Structure formats: structure tokens, C-alpha cells
Amino acid sequence: SQQGEEDPQALSIQEGENATMNCSYKTSINNLQWYRQNSGRGLVHLILIRSNEREKHSGRLRVTLDTSKKSSSLLITASRAADTASYFCATEPNTGNQFYFGTGTSLTVIP
Amino acid sequence: DVKVTQSSRYLVKRTGEKVFLECVQDMDHENMFWYRQDPGLGLRLIYFSYDVKMKEKGDIPEGYSVSREKKERFSLILESASTNQTSMYLCASSFPTGIQYFGAGTRLSVL
């Protein structure tokens, strides 16, 4: 399987703290994306980083990509209770149209 | 706004029944995907389609088939439902190498 892995599987922090989650993958990629899923719902796209980019920001989100280590990290700064959700990374290999999702990090932000 | 609509949010079926899960997107996306999501396993790709009448197997196609007769509609078929197909099913669509847009999901229970 080319499925990626997120680390940690679960993370619990206080409101206002930063949350960092990591993603490792196995193949060369065109891009890597991060998605968020609220309980029992579909996934919502957060940010896309291309293979030739090293860092990207969107609001309170910061994503880094290290293609030599085949890893990415998602940082959520100044977390809020509403950030409580599961976060998934998804990679698009440079060999096709398919996406490979990781197993997800469950984030709980305590008010 | 992109809309991906799955026909049912919750579905209960009996073992051996033929089950149809429908997905419709309104963005003229070439690619459409069916995933299943199980606790601890993340999202696993069942089938995807990159054009009308075209389909490719994902990681877990056994026990499933798909149909894409029109660009906007991608159907997942369980020919003879079994209890191990109880899961959350997620449909997504995208342009090639683009962001995936997800439906709200169908939670299927097979009794």
C-alpha cells in the first residue's frame, strides 16, 4: 500500500496552544494536500503544497514539505476549540491521478 | 461553490442485497473517486474514474463495482452486500492534479 501515515494518531491541547502533526509518505509526488474532517462528515480541503515548494501559509495554517525525507508537517497556530477535528494528508504520486490518504490525526482542542 | 452530493446520509441493508450509492458533482470535474473510511484505517480508495465510462481499481475493489455513464455521476455498486462492507463511504471529485471535493458521506450498515 502507498498509504501515508500521520503522527501522532491523537493530539490533545489547550486552546491557544499550537498543534503540529506530521505526515510521511512513500513515493515521489506532484503535490501534497491537507484535509480536515469534522466528526461524521466529509473532508474539507485546507491547503495544497507542490513538490517544488518547501513551505506554505494560509491564515493560521503553516505547511512544510521535505521531499528528501518524504515528509510534511501541518502547524495550526493559536488553536481554537473549533479546530477540533481529524486531519489527513493526501499525496498525489507523479505517476497517476490517484490520491493516497494517511490514517489521520485526531486533534482535540480543550477550551 | 463546488457541490458533491451523495444520495443518502444513512443506509441500512440486509446481507446479500444489491446496494447502489450515488454521487453527483456540479463542477464538470474529470476525476471522481469512491473511498471507504474505517476507524484506524483512514481512507482507502475503492475505485476511481478519470473520464466517462473509464474506471480504475483502487486499493480495495473486491466486492464492489462502479458505473460512470455521465460525467457528473459516479455510482458505487455492492453486488451482494456483506457485513464487512459496513462502513462510511465517501465520494470525491477533482480536476486532474487538483483539489478533491468531498461529499458528506454515506454511513452504510449491512445487517
Side-chain angles (χ1 to χ4, degrees), chain A residues 1-3 9 30-31 33 35 37 40-45 48 50 88 92 96-104, chain B residues 9 31 33 35 37 40-45 48 50 57-59 88 90 94 96-100 102-104 107:
Chain A
S1 170
Q2 298 189 54
Q3 193 174 30
Q9 288 188 335
N30 285 329
N31 64 67
Q33 303 179 33
Y35 289 80
Q37 183 182 35
R41 307 294 297 182
L43 279 71
V44 175
H45 179 263
L48 179 152
R50 302 200 183 280
F88 294 86
E92 184 191 9
N97 287 320
Q98 192 168 338
F99 286 77
Y100 293 95
F101 281 83
T103 48
Chain B
R9 288 281 286 131
N31 295 351
F33 307 81
Y35 297 91
Q37 184 177 23
L41 297 177
L43 274 75
R44 293 180 292 166
L45 183 65
F48 69 101
Y50 51 89
K57 293 179 180 179
D59 294 326
M88 171 74 123
L90 293 164
S94 76
T97 69
I99 296 166
Q100 291 203 338
F102 282 82
R107 191 167 292 281

Side-chain angles (χ1 to χ4, degrees), chain A residues 31 33 35 45 48 90-92 96-99 101, chain B residues 2-4 23-35 45 48-52 68 71-72 74 91-103:
Chain A
N31 64 67
Q33 303 179 33
Y35 289 80
H45 179 263
L48 179 152
T91 54
E92 184 191 9
N97 287 320
Q98 192 168 338
F99 286 77
F101 281 83
Chain B
V2 175
K3 197 159 187 183
V4 179
C23 177
V24 177
Q25 50 98 0
D26 66 357
M27 273 299 289
D28 204 34
H29 286 159
E30 286 85 356
N31 295 351
M32 295 189 75
F33 307 81
W34 275 107
Y35 297 91
L45 183 65
F48 69 101
S49 168
Y50 51 89
D51 201 353
V52 175
R68 193 162 180 206
K71 192 174 187 179
E72 67 271 19
F74 192 35
C91 173
S93 70
S94 76
F95 291 118
T97 69
I99 296 166
Q100 291 203 338
Y101 293 87
F102 282 82

Side-chain angles (χ1 to χ4, degrees), chain B residues 7 12-14 17-18 21 40-41 48 51 84-85 88 97 101:
Chain B
S7 51
V12 180
K13 295 292 181 181
R14 296 276 178 200
E17 279 192 76
K18 190 168 187 176
L21 302 183
L41 297 177
F48 69 101
D51 201 353
N84 62 13
Q85 291 178 310
M88 171 74 123
T97 69
Y101 293 87

